[in-house]
Amino acid sequence: MTTQLNEAQQKALVPNGHILVLAGAGSGKTRVLTQRIIHLVNDYGVSPYNILAITFTNKASNEMKKRLSEETDCADKMWISTIHSMCAKILRIEAKYLGYTSSFSIYSETDSLRLLKRIISEEESNDDDKKAKNALWHISKAKNAGLSPSEYQNEFAYEPSIDEYCEIYRKYEKNLARSNAMDFDDLLLNTLKLFKQFPEVLEKYADRFMYISVDEFQDTNTVQYEILKLLQSKHNNLFVVGDDDQSIYGWRGAEIKNILNFDKDFPDAKVFKLEQNYRSTKRILNVANKIIAKNKERHEKSLWTQNSDGVRIETYCGFNESEEAFYVANQIQNLIRYNHYDYGDFAVLMRLNALSRSFEQEFSKYGIPSRILGGHKFFERKEIKDIIAYLKVVVNPYDDESLLRIINVPKRGIGDTTVKKLVQISEQNNVPILQTLTDESKLDCFTKGTRQKLLDFAKIIDDFFVYEKEHGVTDFVSYVIAKIAYRESLANKELENDRLMNLDEFINSVDEFVKQNPEATVREYIESVMLVSDLEGNLEDEQCVTMATVHAAKGLEYKVVFVVGLEDGVFPASRAKYDDGEMEEERRLMYVAVTRAQERLYLTRARNRFLHGQSKPTIPSVFFTEIDDALSNKTEIKPQVSADCGVKNTNLTKFQKGQKVRHKVFGEGVIITIKGENADVIFKGIGVKTLALKFAPLEVIE
């Protein structure tokens, strides 16, 4: 069983006690964690009922369940989930202790922002959007630190407008409570409150979970760590795996001190290091080690590998972002033509999403298929969120925010003035809006026509309550969409076909969930959707170049990686200049970027970059200069093109000014000027594009 592990990994399979496994990038940490659980069940006879395993993403949970199912016959009896999912499960069971019902709603960030805008609009603010985002940032920061509005107000009294934001926080909490709803941070904070305020509940779960394992421990926040410490308090078996060098979510509340101080919090802790890397070449690891060695707040370790030295690391500086993007596009074409790579083997990693524009444009010019990881997610699309809001109201009639989203969707003549008055009446009576709608005596202030529209809407929701109790989940969702005539409401609208297809795909996702969970309820389906992390992008195996922020690429690997935009103020971010802690996190972020590469690594920058509305000269990133100085080849590589690498047109004389051409991506156009081997081509509906005639997928229209 343990023969597939190396010596260091096998040593870490200690069954009892407090164990910290410091696992460097690509060192097989998940394998160790999974094998230890198998070890506990198969070799020590531990009941799967007593095992809890916490992962960072749902995808990681599913992969762990699959691995455990292959080597044990009891994986379904273990609790294997993200910490948010675990907390949601506990809170569903124990909701009554905190004054909730088990059907409480879970608010996404979008839901929270809608509620905050509604709260702020009552104050007649000039910039509701900006203030709502700032308020949500403060509220999340407070909850991640386990602070109430008053505690947060006292601790951060020096923050601008702190009194105002804490008052918004109080109103936000009051609205959540009335709506029988929790946001993502509440799932953690309320579980902590539950355990602290009700010892009998903590006893129940601490008694059950004799063996607790935690993956990606460096990404835990204060509240998460407190929950874990309470859960392990009875049996003192806590096995955590992580890498302090990959702690990059400080801005989301992650506390690197959790992993740095683990052996201080638990003086009996055993610490193991996994330093053998199975992913990258020696040259890539040499760069990674040089980058991270400058950090002071870390456990000492150094990655090594039995892999080959590999090819040299390439650095490149372009005149501007367009030249940088052309260099990357050209290198990709070179490697595909001569080194037999596929498009899916490449990743372009950046510190800021905004940098993707020049690469998208350049890839389009030369017919390179690409995608942006973590783009607009399926369940964040308007039509999908509309239908989910209907389902949430049926599951939780107290959910005012979901009801307000759909009260006039599709349009039924219920305007903003009516909605505001309805909210006021409900707040004055301290009842959910749906209860106001079903009480005609409370609607006397509306005109006869408006009153009838409100009553008709209430009848639709009432009909859904009845239908949901008597039908399966898939039938019910299809019925909701048909009953409100949502498809018909999309007629003659922009993107109609895409939206209709999205509705079909939504029903398909419900059907797939029901097939996997035959006894599933509507609430369980909604929860499965809500608890997908926003860090879990679309990871289908597409043959295209991946563009992503480094944060979005964590946990992934690619044969060839380009780390772009290595300029001061971009990567590292400008705020890191004045804060040692921020600079250490930026250095960890660079370390993560470099260690995504398996075979080839390119580091690029531009002398001038267009950002924040203007083009400015740049200063090289400290990471770029450190690495460039360490490499034997310091000469600046210009974007030279191999004789025929990626060449699509060998006879350039066939292109003439005024000629009609067809481009693979941009469609039909006309050549307006030719300068050497480049041409300006105007495309209908797109405008003028400057193309390198050798490489652009152009054909002459006779």
Side-chain angles (χ1 to χ4, degrees), residues 472-601:
V473 179
T474 308
D475 284 346
F476 172 64
V477 173
S478 298
Y479 179 74
V480 168
I481 294 170
K483 177 77 174 177
I484 63 175
Y486 196 92
R487 292 177 190 276
E488 291 78 359
S489 76
L490 298 178
N492 301 318
K493 297 279 181 71
E494 188 183 355
L495 302 176
E496 174 195 349
N497 288 335
D498 284 348
R499 288 177 173 172
L500 289 172
M501 287 173 67
N502 288 340
L503 289 177
D504 290 338
E505 184 55 33
F506 178 66
I507 293 173
N508 187 44
S509 79
V510 175
D511 193 45
E512 283 183 6
F513 181 79
V514 171
K515 284 175 182 173
Q516 293 169 5
N517 307 274
E519 303 300 316
T521 63
V522 174
R523 179 187 62 72
E524 287 168 334
Y525 172 72
I526 295 170
E527 188 161 300
S528 75
V529 169
M530 298 302 296
L531 290 175
V532 172
S533 164
D534 64 347
L535 293 167
E536 298 183 70
N538 181 12
L539 297 174
E540 284 91 4
D541 185 22
E542 297 178 52
Q543 278 308 309
C544 55
V545 176
T546 297
M547 288 182 283
T549 64
V550 184
H551 285 103
K554 185 172 178 290
L556 305 177
E557 57 186 42
Y558 300 88
K559 289 182 180 178
V560 184
V561 168
F562 296 86
V563 185
V564 302
L566 286 170
E567 295 122 31
D568 188 50
V570 176
F571 196 0
S574 54
R575 63 177 180 272
K577 277 185 182 179
Y578 312 105
D579 187 313
D580 290 344
E582 292 276 5
M583 187 61 204
E584 292 222 344
E585 179 142 340
E586 291 292 309
R587 196 169 281 281
R588 293 193 293 270
L589 199 57
M590 183 63 184
Y591 172 82
V592 167
V594 166
T595 54
R596 298 314 91 201
Q598 295 171 287
E599 299 175 5
R600 294 173 181 267
L601 177 65

Side-chain angles (χ1 to χ4, degrees), residues 378-504:
F378 180 79
F379 290 103
E380 288 296 316
R381 291 167 182 160
K382 180 188 180 301
E383 57 274 19
I384 305 305
K385 291 189 75 66
D386 287 345
I387 304 304
I388 287 176
Y390 272 98
L391 304 184
K392 286 169 83 171
V393 169
V394 174
V395 168
N396 175 19
Y398 298 91
D399 189 346
D400 285 354
E401 215 49 47
S402 293
L403 186 136
L404 290 173
R405 181 185 180 96
I406 60 173
I407 196 167
N408 197 38
V409 174
K411 291 192 181 301
R412 46 178 65 93
I414 300 174
D416 290 345
T417 303
T418 299
V419 169
K420 283 183 180 177
K421 197 179 291 185
L422 192 61
V423 169
Q424 284 175 351
I425 295 167
S426 300
E427 288 180 347
Q428 286 165 4
N429 291 281
N430 197 29
V431 295
I433 293 171
L434 189 58
Q435 189 173 324
T436 302
L437 287 172
T438 54
D439 184 349
E440 272 195 73
S441 65
K442 288 190 172 65
L443 304 178
D444 289 342
C445 60
F446 297 107
T447 64
K448 183 179 179 182
T450 298
R451 189 162 61 247
Q452 191 57 52
K453 289 171 186 173
L454 294 172
L455 291 170
D456 288 346
F457 173 68
K459 284 176 186 173
I460 290 172
I461 300 300
D462 189 54
D463 178 49
F464 289 160
F465 287 140
V466 175
Y467 198 94
E468 189 265 338
K469 287 180 173 64
E470 299 172 351
H471 295 80
V473 179
T474 308
D475 284 346
F476 172 64
V477 173
S478 298
Y479 179 74
V480 168
I481 294 170
K483 177 77 174 177
I484 63 175
Y486 196 92
R487 292 177 190 276
E488 291 78 359
S489 76
L490 298 178
N492 301 318
K493 297 279 181 71
E494 188 183 355
L495 302 176
E496 174 195 349
N497 288 335
D498 284 348
R499 288 177 173 172
L500 289 172
M501 287 173 67
N502 288 340
L503 289 177
D504 290 338

Side-chain angles (χ1 to χ4, degrees), residues 145-159:
L147 301 175
S148 68
S150 297
E151 290 168 337
Y152 186 73
Q153 194 168 4
N154 290 335
E155 188 158 333
F156 294 93
Y158 56 85
E159 289 269 5

Side-chain angles (χ1 to χ4, degrees), residues 188-199:
L188 305 174
L189 193 55
N190 284 340
T191 301
L192 184 58
K193 286 179 184 175
L194 182 71
F195 288 165
K196 284 186 171 181
Q197 293 174 14
F198 302 95

